[in-house]
């Protein structure tokens, strides 16, 4: 019976690495590009990214746009509620380096996503194109599953 439980755990681990269930915290104009990446034209579900109903069901956190104190608190609470290990993608210049606007207190540095939680992949741009967001998902998947992807194996087999 322990052999069967071990095999089942292996299958679940492989599925978790191949499929991410996302939770979005979209702010600013980058939020529109994230929504575009989910639509039929780009369709990130074909890459194994699905929308979770609740943060407790998600293992991929996607944060975009500016981060103020209210959003910072939402990011921390959401991150703590998610399935561990959590993968994080920070999208846009505001999320990566802070807001480009002069609304911050000069005595305090701007808040970034990486100052709140660990970030796995950064997507620069203001706003980045949906193609860049899809590339970040592929980069994250290659980090989770090192080695050649199924697409690369198939391409190599067809070339021979």
């Amino acid at each position: 019976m322990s052999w069967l439980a071990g095999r089942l755990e292996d299958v679940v681990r492989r599925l978790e690495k191949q499929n991410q269930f996302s939770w979005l915290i979209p702010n600013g104009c980058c939020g529109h590009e994230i929504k575009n990446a989910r639509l039929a034209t780009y369709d990130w579900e074909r890459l194994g990214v699905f929308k979770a109903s609740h943060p407790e069901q998600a293992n991929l956190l996607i944060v975009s746009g500016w981060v103020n104190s209210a959003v910072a608190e939402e990011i921390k609470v959401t991150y703590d509620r998610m399935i561990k290990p959590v993968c994080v993608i920070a999208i846009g210049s505001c999320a990566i380096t802070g807001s480009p606007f002069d609304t911050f207190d000069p005595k305090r540095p701007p808040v970034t996503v990486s100052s709140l939680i660990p970030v796995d992949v950064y997507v620069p741009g203001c706003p980045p194109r949906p193609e860049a967001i899809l590339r970040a998902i592929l980069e994250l998947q290659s980090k989770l599953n090192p080695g050649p992807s199924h697409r690369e194996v198939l391409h190599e087999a067809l070339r021979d």
Side-chain angles (χ1 to χ4, degrees), residues 1-134:
M1 191 65 161
S2 64
W3 175 84
L4 180 62
R7 295 294 298 159
L8 184 60
E9 285 179 14
D10 289 342
V11 169
V12 169
R13 266 191 236 109
R14 284 184 188 175
L15 288 173
E16 285 177 345
K17 286 182 179 180
Q18 291 174 354
N19 296 313
Q20 285 85 35
F21 294 91
S22 65
W23 188 257
L24 307 176
I25 301 180
N27 292 315
C29 49
C30 293
H32 299 295
E33 296 301 325
I34 292 172
K35 291 173 186 170
N36 286 337
R38 289 175 39 201
L39 294 175
T41 303
Y42 298 100
D43 188 23
W44 71 15
E45 285 186 4
R46 67 187 165 85
L47 300 177
V49 177
F50 303 97
K51 184 180 179 197
S53 301
H54 302 284
E56 293 85 2
Q57 299 171 338
N59 61 357
L60 172 62
L61 180 60
I62 300 175
V63 183
S64 70
W66 39 262
V67 180
N68 59 18
S69 59
V71 174
E73 188 60 32
E74 179 186 356
I75 290 170
K76 288 189 255 184
V77 168
T78 302
Y79 182 81
D80 290 338
R81 292 173 56 191
M82 294 177 71
I83 298 172
K84 305 300 185 249
V86 179
C87 298
V88 179
I89 299 177
I91 297 178
S93 298
C94 293
I96 296 171
T97 62
S99 176
F101 306 109
D102 294 327
T103 58
F104 292 104
D105 183 358
K107 296 176 186 166
R108 288 187 301 152
V111 180
T112 63
V113 176
S114 61
S115 68
L116 302 170
I117 57 175
V119 176
D120 296 297
V121 180
Y122 296 95
V123 184
C126 187
R129 299 274 307 148
E131 294 91 346
I133 297 169
L134 296 181

